């Protein structure tokens, strides 16, 4: 396994199959993206209320969303890079609303597992610096998401 993953389920809804899916899928994504062995990522499954609080606090948007990522490698203003030998790469945190994932799975007429996997990969790619703020970046990110999900077998 390429990633050290800390998986927290604040809503106590993840099945063992969901946990395995997230672990295996994000490890495949890490491998496809050539992420260093032993890199660390945190995935937290939360309620709509909790993701709404996080969205309001960090993004100024008072509404629930499906996934939020916090890349720990991005240096904020006035922050200093941590440099050291033999330290694992800490990618950051992915926070997913289970309620939003269920809602969107129904809306898009695919499984909860497919939506959970999609959101995890989307958040993971954000941690690696992918974005979708303009059409060109969106095309690159969404194409890469599809490649990873297809390779894993989580097609729509």
């Amino acid at each position: 396994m390429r990633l050290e993953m800390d998986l927290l389920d604040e809503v106590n809804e993840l099945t063992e199959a969901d946990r395995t899916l997230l672990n295996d899928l994000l490890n495949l994504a890490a491998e496809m993206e050539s992420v260093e062995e032993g890199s660390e990522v945190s995935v937290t499954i939360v309620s709509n209320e909790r993701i709404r609080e996080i969205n309001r606090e960090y993004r100024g948007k008072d509404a629930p969303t499906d996934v939020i990522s916090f890349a720990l490698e991005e240096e904020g203003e006035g922050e200093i890079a941590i440099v050291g030998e033999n330290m694992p790469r800490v990618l950051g945190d992915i926070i997913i609303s289970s309620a939003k994932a269920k809602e969107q799975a129904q809306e898009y007429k695919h499984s909860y597992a497919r939506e959970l996997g999609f959101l995890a990969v989307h958040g993971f790619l954000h941690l690696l610096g992918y974005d979708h703020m303009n059409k060109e970046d969106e095309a690159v990110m969404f194409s890469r998401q599809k490649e990873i999900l297809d390779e894993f077998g989580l097609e729509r």
Side-chain angles (χ1 to χ4, degrees), residues 48-65 68 132-133:
N48 262 352
E49 295 75 28
R50 181 69 185 118
I51 208 160
R52 180 180 184 168
E53 290 170 11
I54 295 165
N55 204 20
R56 182 175 53 235
E57 185 176 339
Y58 293 97
R59 298 179 66 227
K61 297 182 181 184
D62 190 12
T65 189
I68 296 177
H132 46 87
M133 298 299 273

Side-chain angles (χ1 to χ4, degrees), residues 77-135:
E77 192 175 319
E79 290 182 334
I80 299 169
I82 299 171
V83 181
E85 288 184 38
N86 302 321
M87 290 180 61
R89 181 177 178 194
V90 181
L91 300 173
D93 303 316
I94 302 167
I95 302 167
I96 298 171
S97 164
S98 66
K100 269 289 193 197
K102 288 175 187 167
E103 186 182 303
Q104 289 173 179
Q106 283 187 321
E107 183 182 328
Y108 299 131
K109 296 178 178 30
H110 57 230
S111 69
Y112 173 70
R114 172 31 170 105
E115 189 64 21
L116 187 63
F118 169 82
L119 295 174
V121 169
H122 185 85
F124 186 72
L125 290 176
H126 274 305
L127 297 183
L128 299 180
Y130 286 84
D131 217 329
H132 46 87
M133 298 299 273
N134 61 51
K135 289 286 184 205

